């Protein structure tokens, strides 16, 4: 009984501190331990457990959420859904434009590292689209096991629509409870994020020292700067055009409640429960966001488009290749289409870099060295990319909903 009370007191004290502050403390402790005790490899196990838990539960979560929302039978995928898709695709295209413009204004070169041990990269956009279709119809069980989110989303929709025709009220309730239970598991894992992040930071600092945060500083400035321009200027402009009002209260809320969590978890799929809860707090229609949020975690890839374009042009500059405007515009389209297919590929946006490099005749050997650099700077780049991607899922879902409100004369919330 005494032990139980002590445990409850410790858990209560832990949960009384904000998650962001706990994560910051975990980062500091991980960095200190990495400098002082680089040989204490057991500390890295916290990071491995955290990442493994997220990877394990996220595919099941996406399938459960999508199928459950459709099984309930009240989903109304009307014009709002079409607007969400349009916003997702436009924002990804704009993100690639920003990345290309930044790369022309601030051209970067790369000190090439040794190639990383990564999966085979697609050879062209045709192969990307082929892989996209093949991933969609892959075995659903295998899709969940291998975290193939395109296949998970496709079969989740098919299964949900099929069950919708036959499901009783008890079955619908069962599916709802299953999705809620899995979402709660993800929240528990995220609540332990400070320990996992401590382990991840320890591993990075112990292996590379603090220089990991400065070795590729200029390249990171271009990448992070492009993502900040997208999240703080371009996306708000899109919201302002649609809603005819100041977009920043909504933008700040999405960044604060979704972006910060996604930055540290580095998983758009694992951040889905956070986004769903934020949508509920904003008063959005559950029938709408229960589908658009998981879909956004799969195809809304502004950060991935920026990574592909910036890294590809940096490679071209390193190789002394002159890039003209028409070719740069083709790269924008290529990065946009590639980014939408990146989520179903292990390694995400980084593995699309060789495909984009092929546009300039850069060999696969060189391109794969650039992928290796991407893995090195991923500790910052991937966090920013995920924060941008995940926060904009909520931002554009809310924009589509509020646009419909404005068209029908329903007043928008005074405060977001």
């Amino acid at each position: 009984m005494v032990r139980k009370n002590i445990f409850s007191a410790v858990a209560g004290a832990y949960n009384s501190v904000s998650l962001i502050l706990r994560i910051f403390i975990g980062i500091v402790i991980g960095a200190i331990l990495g400098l002082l005790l680089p040989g204490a490899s057991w500390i890295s196990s916290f990071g491995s457990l955290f990442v493994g838990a997220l990877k394990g539960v996220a595919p099941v979560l996406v399938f459960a959420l999508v199928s459950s929302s459709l099984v309930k039978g009240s989903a109304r995928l009307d014009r709002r859904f079409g607007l969400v898709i349009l916003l997702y695709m436009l924002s990804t295209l704009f993100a690639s434009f920003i990345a290309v413009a930044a790369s022309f204004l601030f051209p970067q070169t790369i000190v090439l590292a040794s190639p990383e041990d990564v999966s085979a990269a697609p050879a062209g956009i045709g192969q990307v689209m082929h892989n996209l279709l093949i991933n969609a119809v892959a075995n659903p069980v295998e899709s969940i096991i291998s975290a193939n989110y395109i296949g998970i989303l496709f079969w989740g929709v098919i299964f949900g629509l099929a069950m919708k025709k036959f499901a009783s009220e008890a079955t619908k309730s069962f599916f709802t409870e299953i999705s809620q239970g899995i979402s709660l598991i993800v929240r528990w894992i995220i609540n332990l994020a400070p320990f996992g992040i401590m382990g991840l930071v320890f591993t990075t600092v112990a292996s590379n020292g603090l220089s990991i945060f400065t070795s590729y500083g200029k390249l990171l400035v271009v990448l992070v700067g492009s993502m900040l321009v997208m999240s703080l200027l371009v996306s708000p402009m899109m919201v302002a055009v649609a809603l005819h009002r100041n977009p920043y209260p909504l933008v700040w809320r999405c960044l604060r409640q979704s972006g910060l969590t996604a930055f540290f978890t580095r998983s758009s799929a694992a951040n889905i429960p956070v986004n769903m809860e934020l949508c509920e707090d904003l008063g959005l229609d559950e029938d709408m966001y229960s589908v658009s949020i998981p879909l956004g975690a799969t195809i809304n890839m502004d950060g991935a488009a920026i990574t592909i374009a910036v890294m590809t042009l940096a490679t071209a500059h390193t190789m002394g290749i002159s890039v003209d405007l028409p070719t740069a515009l083709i790269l924008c389209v290529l990065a946009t289409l590639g980014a939408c297919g990146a989520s179903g590929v292990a390694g995400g946006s980084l593995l699309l870099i060789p495909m984009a490099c092929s546009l300039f005749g850069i060999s696969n050997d060189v391109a794969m060295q650039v992928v290796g650099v991407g893995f090195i700077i991923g500790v910052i780049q991937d966090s920013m990319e995920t924060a941008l991607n995940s926060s904009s899922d909520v931002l554009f879902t809310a924009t589509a909903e509020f646009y419909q409100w404005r068209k029908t004369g329903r007043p928008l919330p005074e405060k977001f």
Side-chain angles (χ1 to χ4, degrees):
M1 190 63 160
V2 175
R3 289 182 179 178
K4 183 177 180 181
N5 291 336
I6 293 174
F7 177 80
S8 299
V10 172
Y14 175 81
N15 291 320
S16 66
V17 180
S18 72
L19 179 62
I20 301 304
L21 178 57
R22 281 182 273 152
I23 287 175
F24 177 76
I25 294 171
I27 292 173
V28 173
I29 294 175
I32 293 173
L33 292 175
L35 291 173
L36 299 180
L37 302 171
S41 58
W42 61 270
I43 300 176
S44 64
S45 299
F46 289 102
S48 300
L49 289 171
F50 176 64
V51 172
L54 286 177
K55 287 182 177 179
V57 74
V60 182
L61 172 71
V62 172
F63 183 84
L65 288 174
V66 172
S67 59
S68 173
S69 65
L70 294 173
V71 167
K72 287 188 292 187
S74 58
R76 299 182 297 276
L77 302 184
D78 50 23
R79 293 180 180 177
R80 296 170 300 173
F81 192 73
L83 181 56
V84 168
I85 301 298
L86 177 62
L87 291 172
Y88 284 167
M89 299 307 297
L90 275 180
S91 67
T92 305
L93 181 61
F94 290 158
S96 63
F97 284 148
I98 291 169
V100 169
S103 296
F104 272 92
L105 290 172
F106 309 101
Q108 300 297 315
T109 57
I110 300 176
V111 179
L112 295 178
S114 299
E116 294 284 328
D117 182 17
V118 294
S119 306
I125 193 62
Q127 186 176 346
V128 171
M129 300 309 296
H130 173 77
N131 290 345
L132 196 64
L133 295 174
I134 294 299
N135 285 337
V137 297
N139 182 287
V141 176
E142 179 63 29
S143 295
I144 293 175
I145 294 173
S146 61
N148 167 20
Y149 288 104
I150 297 295
I152 292 169
L153 187 67
F154 175 80
W155 288 112
V157 169
I158 296 298
F159 181 76
L161 291 174
M163 289 297 296
K164 178 179 175 181
K165 298 180 68 71
F166 307 105
S168 64
E169 290 301 319
T171 301
K172 293 177 182 179
S173 177
F174 171 77
F175 274 93
T176 300
E177 291 165 0
I178 288 292
S179 64
Q180 290 174 344
I182 297 174
S183 297
L184 181 59
I185 292 173
V186 175
R187 292 191 186 98
W188 287 343
I189 296 172
I190 291 177
N191 196 41
L192 297 174
F195 297 99
I197 290 165
M198 177 192 70
L200 294 172
V201 172
F202 168 84
T203 302
T204 301
V205 173
S207 301
N208 304 281
L210 294 178
S211 62
I212 188 64
F213 299 106
T214 59
S215 296
Y216 297 96
K218 291 182 179 180
L219 180 61
L220 275 171
V221 166
V222 174
L223 282 164
V224 173
S226 299
M227 293 178 191
L228 289 175
V229 169
M230 187 65 205
S231 61
L232 299 179
L233 292 178
V234 178
S235 292
M237 286 177 60
M238 294 174 65
V239 176
V241 169
L243 302 183
H244 296 173
R245 65 177 295 177
N246 178 12
Y248 284 101
L250 179 59
V251 171
W252 295 133
R253 184 165 184 183
C254 291
L255 288 174
R256 185 177 68 252
Q257 293 186 229
S258 173
L260 281 177
T261 307
F263 180 90
F264 292 111
T265 61
R266 294 170 67 177
S267 172
S268 293
N271 210 47
I272 287 175
V274 176
N275 285 351
M276 301 273 275
E277 185 175 352
L278 178 53
C279 287
E280 182 180 359
D281 292 342
L282 290 170
L284 306 185
D285 183 1
E286 184 179 359
D287 290 335
M288 173 67 182
Y289 68 72
S290 61
V291 177
S292 68
I293 292 299
L295 179 65
T298 306
I299 69 169
N300 183 32
M301 295 289 161
D302 299 353
I306 289 172
T307 297
I308 294 168
V310 168
M311 297 294 283
T312 299
L313 288 176
T315 308
H317 293 145
T318 301
M319 303 295 292
I321 298 172
S322 178
V323 181
D324 57 22
L325 183 60
T327 307
L329 294 177
I330 294 174
L331 175 62
C332 290
V333 176
L334 196 66
T336 300
L337 295 176
C340 292
S343 59
V345 182
S349 57
L350 296 178
L351 286 184
L352 273 297
I353 292 171
M355 176 206 69
C357 283
S358 67
L359 181 65
F360 303 100
I362 298 171
S363 71
N364 192 59
D365 289 340
V366 172
M368 291 308 289
Q369 291 187 52
V370 178
V371 174
V373 173
F375 278 104
I376 294 174
I377 65 174
V379 65
I380 297 176
Q381 169 268 327
D382 190 44
S383 295
M384 286 295 300
E385 180 179 314
T386 308
L388 171 59
N389 293 341
S390 191
S391 62
S392 62
D393 292 346
V394 182
L395 181 66
F396 293 134
T397 294
T399 299
E401 178 89 15
F402 293 149
Y403 176 81
Q404 188 68 22
W405 288 15
R406 189 174 66 84
K407 294 285 286 184
T408 58
R410 181 177 174 180
L412 299 182
E414 299 234 352
K415 290 184 179 181
F416 291 116

